[in-house]
Amino acid sequence: QAQLVESGGGMVKAGGSLSLSCAASGRPFSRYNMAWFRQVPGKEREFLAAVGWSGERIKYDDSVKGRFIISRDNAKSTVDLRLTNLKPADTAVYYCARQREPYGVPSRTPTQFDSWGRGTQVTVSS
């Protein structure tokens, strides 16, 4: 079974930056599209960014485009999310996820992902 472990969350002031990382194990990492989502209590999980299995075909939600950068290292089986110019509205638990089917086009839909990490908390103060 695939395992994903996020790290790098924390508390930061508005305008600050954080780097999140997700370490994957299990299925061959380089075959699968990866994504980052976030969730706040009482709301649905929100798509942030996705990266294709080869490192290309990157997608961002409009709410984070230009502020967040997703990248992956297939040799290390990691996918990172660099968060910049953070706002209090970015406060959430951040999750990485592995898409169910290998290769293909990166999805924005949570139901297309079947492996999830436990999440890492990001808190942005004003």
Side-chain angles (χ1 to χ4, degrees):
Q1 181 67 19
Q3 183 176 10
L4 303 175
V5 180
E6 302 95 340
S7 61
M11 186 175 295
V12 66
K13 291 185 177 180
S17 301
L18 282 173
S19 290
L20 308 183
S21 187
C22 173
S25 61
R27 287 176 279 170
F29 181 77
S30 63
R31 298 179 186 178
Y32 293 88
N33 303 324
M34 301 293 295
W36 285 91
F37 294 79
R38 68 186 178 191
Q39 191 170 24
V40 298
K43 293 189 176 182
E44 294 186 352
R45 199 159 291 189
E46 175 188 13
F47 169 80
L48 299 175
V51 58
W53 55 273
S54 67
E56 299 176 348
R57 294 189 173 185
I58 290 176
K59 298 180 179 179
Y60 294 101
D61 185 79
D62 287 343
S63 65
V64 303
K65 193 176 295 183
R67 299 192 299 124
F68 293 4
I69 299 173
I70 190 171
S71 61
R72 67 186 294 159
D73 186 331
N74 284 346
K76 296 181 178 179
S77 296
T78 58
V79 56
D80 296 338
L81 189 68
R82 175 70 174 165
L83 290 62
T84 65
N85 191 22
L86 282 162
K87 306 173 183 180
D90 293 317
T91 296
V93 178
Y94 284 67
Y95 299 90
C96 71
R98 185 185 342 230
Q99 199 159 330
R100 178 178 297 109
E101 298 298 329
Y103 305 117
V105 177
S107 175
R108 299 170 179 257
T109 307
T111 55
Q112 295 300 312
F113 295 81
D114 65 346
S115 297
W116 295 84
R118 299 184 69 175
T120 185
Q121 176 71 44
V122 171
T123 302
V124 184
S125 61
S126 57

